Amino acid sequence: MKGNAFDPDCPTRLVLDRIGDKWSVLVVLSLSDGPRRFTQLRDGIGGVTPKVLTQTLRAMERDGLLTRTVFAQVPPRVEYALTPLGQSLQTPIEAIAAWAEENVEAVVAAREQAPA
């Protein structure tokens, strides 16, 4: 089944919502180098509350983009890693992040020029 992003009833829009969410994008970028623990993700991303990060990780796990592995030790250790599906997002997300970093000055300047 191939989706149609312009059809308001198509589930493709749910996928776009997930991968267009800034926290999901930052999680994918953070996990690009390999598995991370929750605190490593939170500290590396910066500015995300634990509640929002937890919600994002659960949604990404539900959508098949990452795995959550619990290690039986004291204290318990949990790691998050991209699945092959999540890894397939790395290239397009890295391209968008690079574009944003290269064009941030132009976007900020345009905002400053825009009428209030």
Side-chain angles (χ1 to χ4, degrees):
M1 173 179 109
K2 184 174 179 177
N4 177 357
F6 292 100
D7 177 355
D9 297 322
C10 181
T12 299
R13 290 197 179 188
L14 299 173
V15 176
L16 289 173
D17 285 344
R18 172 63 41 232
I19 63 174
D21 172 67
K22 73 177 174 180
W23 301 120
S24 296
V25 167
L26 293 171
V27 167
V28 170
L29 291 171
S30 296
L31 293 175
S32 292
D33 294 332
R36 299 259 189 269
R37 296 177 75 173
F38 184 89
T39 53
Q40 292 173 311
L41 285 169
R42 185 193 65 213
D43 295 345
I45 291 172
V48 62
T49 65
K51 178 183 177 183
V52 170
L53 181 57
T54 297
Q55 291 170 340
T56 301
L57 292 170
R58 285 181 182 162
M60 292 178 72
E61 183 180 13
R62 180 197 66 224
D63 292 344
L65 301 175
L66 60 80
T67 59
R68 178 181 184 269
T69 305
V70 180
F71 295 90
Q73 61 187 54
V74 177
R77 181 170 58 110
V78 178
E79 284 187 349
Y80 297 89
L82 293 174
T83 63
L85 183 62
Q87 289 171 352
S88 73
L89 279 173
Q90 285 178 262
T91 300
I93 285 178
E94 287 170 356
I96 290 169
W99 183 91
E101 290 170 351
E102 290 170 14
N103 293 284
V104 64
E105 289 181 21
V107 171
V108 169
R111 284 185 177 192
E112 290 172 355
Q113 300 291 327

